[in-house]
Amino acid sequence: VVNGCGWLNHSNDLKCRKFIELVRENRCVKAWFSGHFHLGQDYQDSITFPTIDPKDGPYPNRGACTFVQTSVMRGGTSRDGRQQSRLVRGNKDGFEICTVD
């Protein structure tokens, strides 16, 4: 996972593998949000999309899951000074992820 979370970043390979396998096997998991990094949301890889069609193989497949970093809303806790969050809005095609400043 390009942008993991606090638990993934501080866990061993076995625990991380269990997590990504769970996501791959359960295509109903569509999004995973994490606010661990205390950074704004306009950085490259702050949203990581599924990489390949599942019919083409499991690796480096992230299943059907989009991994999303969120920032912080309270002043004094952000490393880059930004105060942002995410808003998820459903639509006829699925959902969209928006940034709220």
Side-chain angles (χ1 to χ4, degrees):
V1 177
V2 173
N3 59 6
C5 67
W7 181 81
L8 287 175
N9 290 345
H10 300 291
S11 294
N12 63 36
D13 288 338
L14 181 61
K15 289 181 180 178
C16 292
R17 180 173 312 281
K18 185 176 182 178
F19 167 79
I20 195 63
E21 287 173 0
L22 180 72
V23 170
R24 285 180 181 144
E25 292 168 5
N26 294 280
R27 298 189 60 79
C28 60
V29 178
K30 298 299 183 188
W32 177 275
F33 291 80
S34 172
H36 173 71
F37 293 104
H38 302 277
L39 293 171
Q41 300 166 173
D42 56 349
Y43 294 97
Q44 183 178 3
D45 295 332
S46 70
I47 297 182
T48 306
F49 299 98
T51 55
I52 61 173
D53 191 300
K55 70 177 174 43
D56 296 328
Y59 301 100
N61 192 8
R62 296 177 182 95
C65 188
T66 300
F67 292 89
V68 184
Q69 289 182 355
T70 63
S71 187
V72 295
M73 296 187 66
R74 185 175 65 84
T77 59
S78 175
R79 294 189 298 182
D80 60 10
R82 292 182 178 89
Q83 289 178 255
Q84 299 170 317
S85 190
R86 300 282 191 181
L87 175 70
V88 179
R89 294 194 299 195
N91 60 39
K92 66 179 178 63
D93 299 316
F95 62 91
E96 60 182 333
I97 301 169
C98 306
T99 293
V100 178
D101 285 322

